[in-house]
């Protein structure tokens, strides 16, 4: 039922100025399931989204749409659509909502009307004649979702769709995305820096650090039993109202500079359990049982 | 014993009323959390206290009592000497809060040049090195420029600058929103250690209420320019009374414990251009009553430590 | 639309009107000699007369059309050039961007006046339109530079990426997504270029490089200067034309100011009070 | 330092472009005015003078364009810009050599004064916005719209003709023998006042407006609010936080608008018959003296390029971000 619709194998992106933004990322998106990509800013998660949307050319690695190499960009974007982070920048301030929604319908020769699209994202039809600046952040993000649905895609790439919205309306948008996923049988890639929302919204979660995926598995396991030291640090740092303020101080250290990554494990400079080996050789993926894996020498004996 | 008392403060931005006669008290050595979303007026309130609101902001009413005198009626020169000496601010956008064309040293020394004219230069430089060390930055960064620092380092320089004159009160306006969660925790923990050591009071402004529950002693929640509930952090977290407060607390997916479906709050955040009648939250409130659309509730004490502005709490809710 | 823009537009409208009706309402033929030589302003000759008895008021009236025609034609040509070069440099990036922005910077740095003087004096008869074309060839650089910067910043805005992600073609992205957001910049660039062209054209006529057969304010000053109007105290010969230039320039500048304030809200007058010291008005 | 290197390369390319344009102009444009000139001065022209004019204006058809281009550069490097017809038989380079110092003196001084004055007034006008100072804006807009030469005419009419306070024309009294005496220097200054004031008054307005707008935009930045919050004195905030950042675009704007300012200055020289490059150009235009005109264009362009380089160095000193690479 959840057949693979989009697959990335060994995706890599190096920018001219030497920044190695994404390094050998492989992941699979299945219909009707949400896959989360969690990481700090600069971890390369947004670049992965742009690579999958083919808005940015990959340095190496391949993308398979329903198992084959994708054809012309216009056919490709009929099945893969993207939603952007900043609701204030993702809609052209000069066009009314009507224009923004009818364009994709015309390009992909869909029969739906803009009114139906707005209805699908729980917005009244009279929004069509409004300009983006007359809408709130949440409403704009819903229009962006409606625009993505216009092409009737099978994959939806959501790059931090709610991180710039007010907290109280974030869940409204996330729940909308979940209903659409179930109703339209979409495969959703959910990119976020907030691991708690990944646990709430996604079926599987991948954690990225310094351009590489360091841990993966179903969301509940990864968030409740984190294996990779970085995932543990991420969860320990997340705000937790139940914990008294004076808890163990977390290690100091700066996020990695992608310009000159250390050889070996990129997290080694900040890792409390780093061994000499971590400094020199890149850790392999070690399987920890039913799909849960971590790229870390601590689990060396169970190399996948 | 309170160190700062705000009474009946109202602020206009052009024709829009951004803050509606707010009462707030900051106790000595306390961390007061100020939570609210866009349009809640939390930053406007903080900047109005030291008359730092950019045009077209105008303070319409209220007093801000600090050490016996009203900050709002001080002469410009008096207020200038009081700024940073007594009340310092850690700004949000560290990217733009530091002067891009001046070195870290210059911007730190500026504070001493303005407030400690008699202090010899050597002592000033030593103090700058000490401050950087205090916030975990190596002193040789003194002659770097802001564009040569990472986001985390820039925010720590802001904190060092704020603590330069050992102020009584430090206002933190979304200090870590622009940073990653790991850096955020390091900086906030460092801030709390400094507070414990130096004993200043903190006004901590943020939209992330789960952070406030963890780091502040008391929390005031603002909505559409008014304080809707004020209570000790843990008791607010355990049992919030105002519907907006409960809704807000319920909008944070839990990282630990059982996974329960959440709804957040329907509708959209307040738009200052057309504020609803009566209680501004009534359009989004599940338990809104007739009186809520008619009259605006007043913030009144509900018990010894908590006050709420909601008709559900007050006995005369029957009177329409 | 604030007071400044309205005043600018009113003044501009006034000059536009004169440019259209000038030749018909002019009391005399500007080139016709007359009996009363070098008379100060009088009932018969509102702006007085020249050495050879020509009516200065008619010269200024008829001259308005020449000034505005060349100014507008050069403005339009230069703006079109700056859009094509600036937007394509900003949008294409890479080598094309390097080449085009180097080209516009060269035209910006090289002083325009001496170059045009040489080109104009080479051309046998430099009529209004030819002068307009020559001016526009050096007037596009500033607009191109500003447009390139704006296009660069708009190009990677989310809504352009999003439009591309829905499958829009590149030319539609430029025309329908980027250009509509550039209208304010293009408008203020156009007005700026018209000011530049008007001043340049009048200068060329004043030096006598542009052909003096058709009248414009520069030619009035040319004849005033070459007939020692100054030393004979004939102030009325050169003052009115100069004032017209200044007022036209001011009108255009005011309109430009209005456009800038529309594009950059910070410039709008933010009312009373200084930054850093919020006014307290407790009733 | 990469910034300066890149700028120098750009200026060399621009210089090359200007020289090439100068080379191509006579060959591309219709009409052949130079040949007429040569025939008119047939008898009094020496062999190699004619040859250098042939090279400059590509008249000898038998050599290919490339050879002409190379020999054109050959002449250029030896400083041979051909003969001037207006000041026959003195070579163009000599004419320019005499008039260049006057222009550099006048333009250099006035540009620095008007930039400095404009910036200071602009800073103050931007900082005191919302007060009476705002009335300054329409006035300066009016002044910036006045053509340089017309203001010169007015200045002469008022100060030289009516009140006879200042001389109406020339760089120094006709009878005086130029030399390095105090008296001569005094006379030069006395003659330079009116043209200088004219240039400053008509060019300062542009700087004031530009700086004021930048000050208004910068005053709304976060770091200015932080400076106020730090309790620094108004003066300190205005100067080392607001003005210090607002001046950056003004300096880069300064470099780019030099070409325009030069045009204006040349005109003032014409009106005042001030013995600089502008007046020489004016005479050359009337006499269709192409070698002289092209010589003026080259020299003025090279001077502007050097000035631009200086402005870039100034920008480098003011903006640390261009000096040291980011973190």
């Amino acid at each position: 039922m959840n057949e693979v619709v989009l697959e990335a194998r060994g995706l890599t992106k190096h920018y001219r100025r030497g920044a190695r933004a994404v390094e050998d990322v492989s992941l699979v998106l299945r219909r009707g399931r949400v896959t989360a990509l969690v990481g700090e800013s600069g971890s390369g998660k947004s670049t992965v989204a742009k690579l999958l949307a083919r808005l940015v050319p990959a340095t190496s690695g391949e993308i398979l749409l329903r198992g084959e190499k994708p054809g012309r960009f216009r056919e490709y974007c009929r099945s893969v659509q993207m939603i952007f982070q900043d609701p204030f920048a993702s809609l052209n301030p000069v066009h009314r909502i009507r224009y923004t929604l009818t364009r994709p319908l015309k390009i992909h020769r869909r029969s739906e009307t803009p009114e139906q699209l707005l209805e699908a994202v729980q917005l009244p039809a009279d929004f069509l004649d409004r300009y983006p600046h007359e809408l709130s952040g949440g409403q704009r993000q819903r229009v962006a979702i409606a625009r993505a649905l216009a092409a009737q895609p099978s994959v939806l790439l959501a790059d931090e769709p709610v991180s710039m919205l007010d907290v109280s309306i974030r869940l409204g948008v996330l729940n909308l995305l979940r209903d659409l996923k179930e109703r339209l049988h979409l495969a959703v890639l959910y990119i976020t820096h907030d691991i708690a929302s990944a646990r709430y919204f996604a079926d599987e979660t991948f954690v990225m650090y310094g351009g590489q995926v360091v841990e993966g598995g179903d969301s509940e396991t990864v968030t409740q039993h984190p294996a990779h030291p970085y995932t543990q640090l991420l969860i320990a740092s997340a705000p937790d109202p139940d914990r008294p303020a004076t808890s163990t101080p977390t290690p100091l250290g700066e996020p990695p500079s992608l310009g000159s990554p250390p050889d070996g494990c990129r997290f080694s400079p900040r890792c409390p359990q780093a061994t000499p080996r971590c400094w020199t050789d890149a850790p392999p993926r070690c399987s920890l049982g039913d799909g849960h894996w971590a790229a870390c020498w601590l689990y060396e004996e169970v190399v996948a | 014993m309170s160190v700062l008392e705000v009474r009946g403060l109202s602020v206009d931005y052009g024709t829009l009323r951004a803050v509606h006669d707010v009462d707030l008290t900051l106790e000595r050595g306390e961390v007061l959390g100020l939570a609210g979303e866009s349009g809640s007026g939390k930053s406007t309130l903080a900047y109005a206290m030291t008359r730092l609101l950019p045009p077209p902001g105008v303070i319409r009413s209220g007093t801000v009592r600090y050490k016996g005198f009203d900050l709002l009626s001080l002469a410009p020169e008096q207020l200038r000497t009081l700024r940073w000496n007594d009340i310092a601010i850690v700004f949000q956008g560290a990217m733009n809060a530091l002067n891009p064309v001046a070195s870290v040293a210059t911007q730190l020394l500026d504070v001493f040049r303005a407030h400690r004219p008699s202090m010899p230069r050597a002592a000033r430089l030593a103090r700058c090195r000490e401050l950087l060390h205090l916030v975990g930055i190596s002193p040789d960064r003194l002659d770097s420029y802001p564009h040569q620092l990472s986001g985390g380092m820039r925010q720590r320089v802001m904190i060092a600058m704020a603590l330069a004159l050992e102020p009584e009160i430090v206002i933190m306006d979304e200090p870590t929103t622009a940073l990653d969660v790991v850096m955020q925790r390091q900086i906030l923990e460092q801030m709390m250690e400094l507070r414990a050591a130096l004993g200043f009071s903190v006004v901590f402004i943020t939209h992330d209420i789960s952070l406030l529950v963890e780091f502040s002693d008391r929390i005031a929640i603002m909505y559409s320019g008014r304080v809707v509930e004020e209570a000790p952090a843990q008791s607010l977290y355990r049992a919030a009374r105002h519907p907006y407060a409960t809704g807000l607390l319920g909008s944070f997916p839990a990282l630990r414990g059982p996974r329960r479906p959440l709804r957040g709050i329907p509708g959209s955040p307040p738009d200052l251009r057309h504020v609803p009648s009566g209680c501004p939250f009534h359009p989004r409130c599940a338990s809104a009553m007739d009186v809520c659309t008619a009259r605006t509730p007043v913030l009144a004490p509900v018990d010894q430590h908590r006050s709420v502005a909601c008709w559900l709490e007050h006995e005369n809710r029957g009177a329409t | 639309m604030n007071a400044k823009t309205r005043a600018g537009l009113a003044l501009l409208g006034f000059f536009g009107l004169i440019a259209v009706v000038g030749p018909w309402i002019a009391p005399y033929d500007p080139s016709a000699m007359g009996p009363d030589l070098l008379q100060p302003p009088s009932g018969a000759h509102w702006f007085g007369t020249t050495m050879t008895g020509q009516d200065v008021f008619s010269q200024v009236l008829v001259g308005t059309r020449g000034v505005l025609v060349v100014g507008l034609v050069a403005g339009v040509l230069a703006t079109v050039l700056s859009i094509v070069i600036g937007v394509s440099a900003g949008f294409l990036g890479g080598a094309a961007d390097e080449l085009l922005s180097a080209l516009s910077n060269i035209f910006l740095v090289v002083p325009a006046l001496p170059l045009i003087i040489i080109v104009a004096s080479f051309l046998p008869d430099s009529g209004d339109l030819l002068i307009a074309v020559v001016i526009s060839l050096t007037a596009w650089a500033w607009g191109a530079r500003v447009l390139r910067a704006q296009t660069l910043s708009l190009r990677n805005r989310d809504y352009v990426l999003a439009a591309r992600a829905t499958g829009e073609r590149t030319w539609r992205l430029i025309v329908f997504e980027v250009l509509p957001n550039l209208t304010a910049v293009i408008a203020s660039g156009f007005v700026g270029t018209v000011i530049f062209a008007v001043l340049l054209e009048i200068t060329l006529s004043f030096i006598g490089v542009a052909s003096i057969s058709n009248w414009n304010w520069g030619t009035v000053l040319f004849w005033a200067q070459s007939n020692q109007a100054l030393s004979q105290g004939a102030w009325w010969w050169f003052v009115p034309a100069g004032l017209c230039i200044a007022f036209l320039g001011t009108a255009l500048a005011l309109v430009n100011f209005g456009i800038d304030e529309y594009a950059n809200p910070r410039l709008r007058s933010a009312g009373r009070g200084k930054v850093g010291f919020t006014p307290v008005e407790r009733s | 330092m990469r910034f300066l290197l890149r700028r120098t390369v750009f200026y060399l390319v621009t210089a090359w472009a200007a020289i090439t344009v100068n080379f191509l102009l006579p060959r591309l444009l219709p009409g052949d005015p130079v040949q007429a000139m040569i025939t008119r001065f047939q008898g009094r022209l020496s062999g190699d003078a004619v040859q250098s004019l042939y090279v400059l204006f590509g008249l000898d058809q038998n050599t290919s364009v490339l050879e002409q281009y190379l020999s054109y550069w050959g002449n250029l490097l030896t400083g041979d810009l051909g003969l001037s017809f207006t000041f026959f038989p003195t070579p163009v380079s000599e004419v320019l050599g005499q008039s260049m110092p006057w222009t550099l003196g006048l333009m250099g001084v006035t540009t620095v004064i008007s930039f400095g004055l404009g910036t200071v007034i602009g800073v103050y006008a931007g900082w005191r916005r919302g007060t009476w100072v705002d009335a300054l804006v329409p006035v300066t807009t009016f002044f910036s719209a006045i053509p340089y030469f017309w203001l010169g005419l007015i200045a002469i009419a008022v100060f030289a003709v009516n009140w006879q306070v200042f001389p109406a024309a020339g760089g120094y009294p006709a009878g005086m023998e130029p030399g390095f005496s105090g008296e001569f220097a005094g006379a030069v200054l006395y003659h330079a006042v009116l043209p200088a004031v004219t240039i400053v008054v008509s060019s300062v307005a542009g700087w004031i407006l530009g700086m004021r707008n930048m000050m208004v935009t910068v005053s709304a930045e976060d770091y200015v609010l932080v400076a106020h919050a730090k309790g620094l004195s108004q003066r300190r905030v205005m100067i080392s936080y607001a003005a210090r950042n607002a001046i950056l675009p003004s300096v880069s704007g300064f470099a780019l608008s030099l070409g325009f300012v030069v045009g204006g200055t040349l005109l003032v020289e014409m009106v005042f018959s001030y013995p600089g490059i502008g007046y020489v150009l004016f005479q050359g235009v009337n006499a269709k003296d192409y070698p002289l005109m092209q010589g003026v264009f080259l020299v003025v362009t090279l001077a502007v390029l050097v000035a631009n380089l200086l402005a870039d160095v100034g920008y480098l000193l003011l903006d640390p971000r261009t000096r040291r690479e980011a973190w």
Side-chain angles (χ1 to χ4, degrees), chain C residues 91-279:
Chain C
F91 211 83
L92 299 175
D97 181 16
E98 247 21 273
L99 190 70
L100 289 176
S101 40
L103 185 70
S104 49
N105 281 337
I106 288 174
F107 267 90
L108 215 54
V109 167
V110 166
L113 188 65
L115 183 65
I116 291 188
I117 288 174
I118 297 171
V119 169
S121 52
F122 257 104
L123 301 175
D125 70 345
S126 35
D128 272 357
L129 286 184
L130 208 54
I131 289 293
V133 168
V134 167
I135 291 175
S136 67
L137 287 180
T138 54
W140 59 270
W142 189 261
R145 210 176 113 89
V146 171
L147 279 173
R148 173 181 172 274
Q150 284 288 351
T151 314
L152 272 179
S153 87
L154 288 179
R155 187 166 62 122
N156 12 32
R157 285 281 170 75
D158 282 354
Y159 57 79
V160 175
L161 276 179
R164 195 141 67 85
T166 52
E168 288 277 20
R169 297 216 192 308
T170 311
W171 69 269
R172 282 193 75 89
L173 285 180
I174 296 181
V175 171
F176 288 97
E177 302 294 333
V178 175
L179 274 185
N181 288 288
L182 291 176
T183 38
V185 174
I186 293 174
S188 84
F190 171 71
V191 173
T193 317
V194 170
I195 298 176
F196 177 83
V198 162
L199 280 180
L200 203 51
E201 181 226 348
I202 286 164
T203 312
L204 291 178
S205 317
F206 173 66
I207 315 173
V209 162
S211 87
I212 41 175
S213 56
N214 29 35
W215 282 98
N216 69 47
W217 297 336
T219 23
V220 174
L221 296 173
F222 169 76
W223 290 112
Q225 166 75 353
S226 40
N227 290 301
Q228 278 73 32
L230 274 176
S231 40
Q232 299 177 19
W235 55 270
W236 58 86
W237 199 345
F238 54 87
V239 165
L243 277 182
C244 287
I245 303 168
F247 278 119
L248 177 62
T250 310
L252 288 165
L254 287 179
V255 168
N256 222 351
F257 227 56
I259 296 172
D260 285 348
E261 281 186 2
Y262 169 76
N264 172 0
R266 273 194 195 151
L267 290 175
R268 282 192 203 124
S269 60
R272 308 176 311 289
K274 297 208 305 309
V275 174
F277 203 69
T278 316

Side-chain angles (χ1 to χ4, degrees), chain A residues 174-187:
Chain A
L174 282 185
N175 291 341
L176 167 68
L177 278 173
R178 171 180 288 166
D179 301 343
L180 292 171
K181 173 206 76 172
E182 268 136 25
R183 210 152 33 84
L184 305 172
H185 212 44
L186 296 171

